[in-house]
Amino acid sequence: MSFELGLDGKVVVITGGSTGIGFATALEFARQNAKVAICGRSTEKLNAARAQAQAQGLDFYTEALDVCDAEKLYAFGDRVCQRYGTLDVWMNNAGIAITKPLLEFTDAEWDAVISLNLTSVFHGCQYAAKKMIEYGRGGVILNAGSFQALMPAAAAAPYGASKAGVVNLSRSLAGELAVHHIRVLSYIPGVICTPMADEWMNETDQIQNIPSSRYGRPEDLANALVFLASPRAEYINGVHVDITGGKFCVQNPRYSFV
């Protein structure tokens, strides 16, 4: 018997929802009988995601677009709202990482990271807040942070800066939107087995820094995020939620395995 989260019929939008954390979370929302809409840049990946969902008896509304284009993002949101009649959860999950030394970064690369990781999150929050206030039902906005928001990495300056911005943006908006019964949270994934992280994981050994002694799975994020978006978590607001297996919770995380 599944644990009832009170998400039946809720309308959920997830950007970057065709793979990884976004896709796993979309599946979990759909299993909770939410109405799910996902977007991403690749039509091929979106079609594959929808096919996988349908194979499990689930379904999504999908659109291909670049969330850095605010007008296209807003138009996507409008179509979702017209289709389902409301908006309850908006998850800004799309992101990009570029790893290279500071002196090798170009202006175009800086702009690309900040535009997708931070500016599109601002636009998503602004759109979601406007519609949630309009519908008068409250809502939840979830924003993708990163462990680098708390402890940045060398050779990834734009990424860490963008994710720190997301965490502080989320806190600011939580304070501003609470009067409308809109909760805003950021989430901090640990080292998660996703296409974006594969190359980095192959080059580094992060297990030694994780007390849970394994890399995370997209489902680890999905289970937590769906709960956070549910009425069961209605008193959790304005914080970043660490879903990392305890990464760097202590200075010697491997102590208990020695």
Side-chain angles (χ1 to χ4, degrees):
M1 184 175 183
S2 61
F3 183 62
E4 176 57 53
L5 292 177
L7 291 167
D8 191 8
K10 298 290 187 181
V11 177
V12 179
V13 168
I14 301 176
T15 71
S18 62
T19 61
I21 293 167
F23 176 59
T25 307
L27 287 174
E28 192 56 37
F29 271 117
R31 293 187 186 106
Q32 293 290 329
N33 296 315
K35 299 172 182 177
V36 181
I38 65 174
C39 67
R41 294 187 182 188
S42 169
T43 300
E44 182 180 355
K45 289 180 180 179
L46 287 166
N47 289 340
R50 190 173 186 190
Q52 290 182 58
Q54 290 175 336
Q56 300 180 43
L58 308 170
D59 199 12
F60 306 144
Y61 173 70
T62 66
E63 276 194 34
L65 66 132
D66 181 354
V67 296
C68 294
D69 186 324
E71 289 188 6
K72 291 182 178 179
L73 181 63
Y74 298 158
F76 165 65
D78 284 344
R79 284 187 285 274
V80 173
C81 291
Q82 290 164 8
R83 183 183 183 93
Y84 296 119
T86 191
L87 178 63
D88 299 293
V89 179
W90 185 286
M91 178 172 160
N92 289 301
N93 180 71
I96 186 176
I98 300 176
T99 303
K100 63 193 315 185
L102 170 66
L103 300 183
E104 295 180 12
F105 268 102
T106 66
D107 287 352
E109 289 169 332
W110 169 271
D111 290 343
V113 173
I114 298 300
S115 178
L116 181 53
N117 290 2
L118 182 56
T119 306
S120 77
V121 171
F122 165 74
H123 287 143
C125 289
Q126 192 174 57
Y127 178 86
K130 177 182 177 181
K131 300 306 279 189
M132 290 172 182
I133 292 170
E134 177 184 322
Y135 289 123
R137 292 159 49 106
V140 180
I141 300 173
L142 300 171
N143 296 324
S146 165
F147 202 84
Q148 288 197 41
L150 312 179
M151 181 183 291
Y159 183 80
S162 69
K163 293 302 185 177
V166 167
V167 168
N168 277 295
L169 174 68
S170 303
R171 294 171 64 186
S172 177
L173 297 184
E176 183 174 343
L177 298 175
V179 68
H180 301 290
H181 306 289
I182 298 170
R183 296 187 291 118
V184 187
L185 302 154
S186 58
Y187 52 97
I188 307 294
V191 186
I192 311 299
C193 299
T194 66
M196 194 170 87
D198 281 347
E199 181 178 350
W200 181 72
M201 287 168 57
N202 289 334
E203 293 176 353
T204 61
D205 179 13
Q206 293 293 314
I207 290 289
Q208 60 184 332
N209 298 319
I210 304 172
S212 294
S213 197
R214 68 170 176 85
Y215 292 137
R217 299 180 293 264
E219 293 75 18
D220 293 318
L221 273 292
N223 292 331
L225 293 173
V226 170
F227 167 75
L228 289 170
S230 77
R232 296 278 186 172
E234 66 179 359
Y235 206 56
I236 303 175
N237 191 21
V239 297
H240 64 264
V241 180
D242 183 322
I243 313 170
T244 66
K247 179 177 167 68
F248 290 120
C249 65
V250 294
Q251 294 187 49
N252 55 340
R254 297 299 295 172
Y255 174 81
S256 59
F257 299 100
V258 173

